Amino acid sequence: QVQLVESGGGLVQAGGSLRLSCVVSQRTVDTPFWGWFRQAPGKEREFVATINWTGGGTITADSAKGRFTISRDITKNTVYLQMNGLKPEDTAVYFCAAGRGGNTRNDYRYWGQGTQVTVSS
């Protein structure tokens, strides 16, 4: 069982930055990707970015390109999401997940509990 714990959420003004962290309990061969998703109130959970923890390859959603950067530190089993230029529409609960990769919920088997990000205008 892979466990994930997010941190780093909070309240920030529009234009500000936050860095989310997610500690993953173990790396497994069937979960080569660590991803970030977000879910705003009344909306579906949507893909933000994902990274292959072996080679470091990334995929980023169009809504996040140019503002958000995903990275990982293998020595710490941690995946990060650096968010710059935050907008009120980025307000959501952000979840990290471990799975086979891709940009849908079904591609990820294990999930964290989420961390709230609120961007004020």
Side-chain angles (χ1 to χ4, degrees):
Q1 184 79 6
V2 178
Q3 296 178 328
L4 302 97
V5 180
E6 305 97 334
S7 62
L11 173 64
V12 64
Q13 290 188 331
S17 298
L18 281 175
R19 189 177 81 155
L20 306 182
S21 300
C22 175
V23 178
V24 186
S25 63
Q26 58 182 311
R27 302 192 299 269
T28 67
V29 294
D30 61 340
T31 58
F33 281 83
W34 295 339
W36 287 98
F37 285 71
R38 66 185 182 185
Q39 188 166 16
K43 294 188 176 181
E44 294 290 320
R45 192 169 298 188
E46 67 171 351
F47 170 76
V48 177
T50 193
I51 187 166
N52 183 299
W53 56 256
T54 57
T58 63
I59 302 172
T60 304
D62 288 343
S63 60
K65 283 181 181 177
R67 299 189 301 128
F68 295 2
T69 302
I70 188 171
S71 62
R72 91 283 191 237
D73 185 336
I74 293 299
T75 65
K76 298 179 180 179
N77 270 10
T78 301
V79 57
Y80 304 98
L81 186 68
Q82 177 67 44
M83 304 186 294
N84 300 327
L86 283 161
K87 306 174 183 179
E89 51 263 44
D90 294 318
T91 294
V93 177
Y94 283 71
F95 298 88
C96 67
R100 63 189 184 204
N103 62 358
T104 72
R105 292 184 65 171
N106 290 339
D107 294 319
Y108 296 84
R109 181 176 180 183
Y110 302 102
W111 292 83
Q113 294 300 307
T115 185
Q116 176 70 47
V117 172
T118 303
V119 185
S120 62
S121 57

